[in-house]
Amino acid sequence: MSTTHLPDASAPAPSTPDPRRWKALALLCAAFFMVIVDSQIVLLALPAIETEFGFDPGNAQWVMSAYLLAFGGLLMFGGRAADLLGGRRMFLVGAALFGVASILCGLAWTGEVLIGARLLQGLSSAIMTPTAMAVLMNTFGEGAERNKALGIWTGIGAFGATAALLIGGPITDGLGWEWIFYINIPVVLAVLFLGPRLLRETPVRHGRKSFDPLGALTITAAIGLLVYAVVVAPEAGWLSGRTLWMLAGAVVLLALFVVVESRGKSPLVPLRIFRSGSLVGGNILMLLVAMCVYGGAFVTSLYAQQVLGYSAVRFGLSTAVYAVMSIIGANVAARLAAKIGYKAIAIVGMTLLGTGLLLLTAISPQGGYWTDLFIGLVVFGSGIGSTNVAASIASLSGARPEESGLVSGLNNATFQVGAALGVAITSSVAFAVTGGSTDKAALTDGFSAAFLACAIFAAIGLVTALLLLLQRKKTAA
């Protein structure tokens, strides 16, 4: 029978509220903000990087994709490392690696070195993100305080994505593309200095600690291949041999992973965790939320810049409205979760997401921000915050303390896969409608169809909230 141990003997018992908990949350959120900014800010620096290293347009995107593939593919492994070695310890290891990778990115002397450093950044982010959430879960017990903390965490994520669009252009133009990586260094140093003082270690297992290398290899390869397939599908074609072989390979690897985990003595992912209706429902909901959020944001960016003629900086400013609404929605949802339950919040949130996306389908070639985007983005943003909080509470509730890293890694991996799917599917829908035309009317028709596809994702999410989460409530009763 497994037991738990708190390596930091000075830390309060888990049942005792940690007096440092809100300062700890601020530090965790700062690190999360850095990770989110870094996943987006490169978009605005890609033209300068392409010129610096002489990348072909098709190769330059690997500066972005390398990070996302390593991040999404290794999240499960990073989360399990927290359970076996301690969340705080691995969080600090991840932060140190992130700092080294950021320096290497800024100093990169060839394009290949930059892509390699971005892979290292993705690996470190895959360690930091689930371990930070594992520390959060063990710092705040289930209930109102954890819900509030998750609301703040979600809001910081939304703000980070917008901040990247706001600061990426000015930093690249004023200081050079290298500084989008160097700005991480002060945050990393603060995390490494304050982390041991503020963060409580998470429970870890005594006895034999196995990382289940075969399980880690198969699930990492499966997620990585799936993300890669959906990244290249819009260009290669969803029915092309290349895409189909990669998708088939991902399915085979996933099936092999299930076989390995069902027979292993120390599995990376104990299959019994999927007996939890809230975990399954919450992760399905998280997948669909990510598809809506990233798909909707991607199409909004294309419409604003290709049809309305917005610059990158102006687009970043215009999208601040849905980031603000996401923060408000997340905090309202966190406060109401203890009173009305995450199920009700999930239903309301998915309804808001779907309504906002339906409003955005009314865009026009001669449109403007206030007439075509503003109201839709306000409603859309409100749904982002509330659904993220509801899905997080659902998928993380009831997790064993010694499995908090694993559950957090699963939650984050689901979100990353959903983000990749959302962008890939909306890209394909838009291209199918426009037929490659650059005429503003044709582009608008394509983007409107893509918004409608995102609204369909939201409708499926609403059904998920009504069926799976309602079913969970009946089972609990």
Side-chain angles (χ1 to χ4, degrees), residues 253-270:
L253 286 168
L254 186 59
L256 180 59
F257 171 74
V258 172
V259 172
V260 169
E261 298 307 279
S262 65
R263 297 180 178 181
K265 294 182 179 180
S266 300
L268 178 72
V269 182

Side-chain angles (χ1 to χ4, degrees), residues 219-237:
I219 191 61
T220 299
I223 294 176
L225 195 58
L226 174 61
V227 172
Y228 182 73
V230 299
V231 165
V232 302
E235 179 183 354

Side-chain angles (χ1 to χ4, degrees), residues 5 20 33 46 59 61 76 89 147 166 174 180 256 300 312 354 368-369 390 405 415 419 429-430:
H5 167 65
R20 305 164 299 178
F33 177 83
L46 275 180
N59 292 329
Q61 60 94 18
M76 297 287 286
R89 180 182 293 115
N147 295 345
L166 292 175
I180 67 172
L256 180 59
T300 301
Y369 175 71
F415 187 86
V429 169

Side-chain angles (χ1 to χ4, degrees), residues 9 39 88 247 300 312 314 320 401 457:
S39 68
R88 181 180 68 178
L247 291 174
T300 301
R314 187 180 178 188
F457 303 155

Side-chain angles (χ1 to χ4, degrees), residues 6 27 115 117 122 146 152 176 188 214 263 326 337-338 358 366 393 396 413 452 458:
L6 286 175
L27 185 66
I115 291 173
R146 181 186 287 183
I152 295 171
V188 170
L214 186 55
R263 297 180 178 181
S326 176
L358 284 174
Q366 295 80 33
I393 294 173
L396 301 176
L452 181 59

